[in-house]
Amino acid sequence: MPHTFSTPDRAAWPPPPAVLRLTAGLWALGAVAMVASGVATRFEPLPVNGLRAVLMAFAGVALSFGLWRIATLPVRPRWAILALVLGLVAATAAHTWLDLRTDALLLDWLAPGPSVRRIVSDSALRIAVMALIAESHIVIFASLYAVFGMGATILRSAAETREREAQLAAARTLAVSAQLAMLRHQLNPHFIFNTLNAIGSLVAMRRNDDAETMIDRLSDFLRASLGADAHPLATLDGELNTLQNYLDIEAVRFGTRLRVVYDLEPGLGAALIPSFLLQPLVENAIKHAVSPALVPVDVRLSARRDGDDLVVGVADSGAGHVAAPAPGTGTGLRNVRERLALLYGDRARLEAGPCGDGFLAEVRMPLQWSEGRP
């Protein structure tokens, strides 16, 4: 799923042991390669060559740590990769400039005197390029930074995977707690009384088929709510099917006062959302809009795709001109926000507030798909 580091500072600094080992190994190899290159070309004395290689290796370590910070920026992976590529180019250029300056200073200090390095060619550009390659370690730097960039990308992906697994484990625990809390809130004497009263009324009117259907809906709702395998994510179709059982029960209580409208973009049925995400949002709409209303109230369930995001919402048309119901405790909205933070970090958010005469709660989250997506 699309994801960024929700805790970039912890992931980036101090660098994890794997990054330290990668950096130390690469620049130890780089120091050996630089010394070998200097010995092969015989352009400078061995003391200058050795000290220069050691200094450039330490500079490489420092620049590599900076590249790791870039690799773990809290942005989407494609932007992190682009930033890392630009960082690799910049690090190679900066390291090459520092290498040339260090070489000049060391020669003036340890081996003063003229130094002749002859490169023959009929092209000025070719002479400049060959001189740069001969007098600096740009090829070594570019190779080592390329290897470090690939290693950093792999390590970032592994860190994201571990973080994701930890978040899903925490979300699974919270999902179970949220479902039990939801049931304790819903299955109070008032809810039970109204549900059983509606079933009893159907039986008294000899609408046995309707009563049986209502019992089945209640059974389905309870079974889904108390499912033993409480997964933190569910498909949008599955979530709406579970929610429909609850809405069918409430429709008997409120009759024509409750009108449910679906505004769903086609093709999103296999999109994944946190399980029981819509339940507290719909319950708030029924409690604060449908219950006190004297006129029909529209409860609109919407889902649409917005780029790489999925946006789902629950809106009501308002209770009309009636006394305002008692304010809620905010438990449902707070629970939704906490679950979104655990699952998606700062890539998801809940926005809730008045909308016209009613109320709108809208959730934006990364768009992801179930494995069974057609």
Side-chain angles (χ1 to χ4, degrees):
M1 68 182 64
H3 181 63
T4 62
F5 278 120
S6 60
T7 53
D9 291 337
R10 184 178 65 206
W13 199 264
V19 175
L20 297 178
R21 290 192 295 268
L22 174 65
T23 304
L26 281 178
W27 289 107
L29 178 63
V32 173
M34 284 183 276
V35 171
S37 174
V39 171
T41 57
R42 299 180 181 178
F43 280 164
E44 58 192 12
L46 185 59
V48 174
N49 181 27
L51 183 55
R52 176 187 178 189
V54 171
L55 292 175
M56 290 304 98
F58 279 110
V61 170
L63 288 171
S64 295
F65 286 160
L67 290 173
W68 174 247
R69 292 285 292 190
I70 293 175
T72 53
L73 288 173
V75 296
R76 295 183 178 181
R78 61 174 176 267
W79 294 114
I81 292 175
L82 177 60
L84 179 60
V85 170
L86 295 176
L88 293 173
V89 174
T92 301
H95 208 163
T96 301
W97 178 85
L98 182 62
D99 182 39
L100 293 172
R101 293 295 302 159
T102 301
D103 184 40
L105 292 173
L106 289 177
L107 285 174
D108 290 343
W109 177 37
L110 297 177
S115 177
V116 179
R117 303 179 183 181
R118 178 175 297 176
I119 298 176
V120 179
S121 176
D122 57 357
S123 169
L125 177 61
R126 185 177 301 173
I127 291 175
V129 172
M130 294 178 66
L132 178 64
I133 295 175
E135 296 179 7
S136 73
H137 298 113
I138 185 172
V139 175
I140 295 175
F141 296 155
S143 301
L144 292 178
Y145 283 127
V147 174
F148 181 84
M150 290 185 290
T153 302
I154 294 172
L155 292 173
R156 171 196 166 104
S157 178
E160 286 182 330
T161 299
R162 290 192 299 270
E163 181 183 9
R164 187 71 180 151
E165 290 174 350
Q167 289 178 339
L168 286 175
R172 185 183 297 273
T173 300
L174 183 60
V176 174
S177 300
Q179 291 173 45
L180 294 177
M182 176 196 67
L183 288 178
R184 285 195 300 270
H185 176 67
Q186 288 178 338
L187 299 183
N188 51 54
H190 182 69
F191 177 82
I192 291 290
F193 172 79
N194 284 289
T195 302
L196 295 179
N197 185 56
I199 294 173
S201 298
L202 292 174
V203 172
M205 297 168 61
R206 298 187 181 278
R207 295 170 57 186
N208 296 335
D209 291 341
D210 292 337
E212 184 177 351
T213 299
M214 187 58 57
I215 294 173
D216 289 340
R217 297 296 187 189
L218 180 60
S219 176
D220 291 340
F221 176 72
L222 295 176
R223 186 180 300 108
S225 300
L226 290 172
D229 186 18
H231 197 276
L233 298 176
T235 64
L236 180 60
D237 279 345
E239 179 77 357
L240 291 175
N241 288 337
T242 300
L243 187 62
Q244 188 61 51
N245 295 321
Y246 172 75
L247 289 171
D248 287 343
I249 296 171
E250 296 291 20
V252 175
R253 292 178 55 196
F254 298 108
T256 58
R257 286 159 55 196
L258 172 59
R259 299 189 304 200
V260 181
V261 180
Y262 292 93
D263 182 14
L264 309 176
E265 182 177 318
L268 293 178
L272 292 175
I273 67 173
S275 57
F276 290 93
L277 176 77
L278 299 177
Q279 172 67 32
L281 304 181
V282 172
E283 184 180 2
N284 279 348
I286 291 177
K287 177 181 177 181
H288 296 288
V290 179
S291 181
L294 301 177
V295 296
V297 175
D298 291 333
V299 176
R300 180 178 298 272
L301 305 178
S302 62
R304 72 179 191 277
R305 181 173 184 171
D306 185 8
D308 294 332
D309 292 338
L310 174 67
V311 182
V312 295
V314 177
D316 63 71
S317 57
H321 300 288
V322 297
T329 61
T331 301
L333 297 181
R334 182 169 60 251
N335 179 271
V336 170
R337 288 192 172 96
E338 289 176 357
R339 295 183 65 197
L340 291 174
L342 275 174
L343 283 166
Y344 306 109
D346 57 4
R347 283 280 287 113
R349 64 180 183 273
L350 165 65
E351 296 180 352
C355 180
D357 294 330
F359 191 88
L360 170 64
E362 191 170 73
V363 177
R364 177 181 292 270
M365 71 196 84
L367 178 61
Q368 52 188 285
W369 304 97
S370 68
E371 294 180 357
R373 181 191 180 187

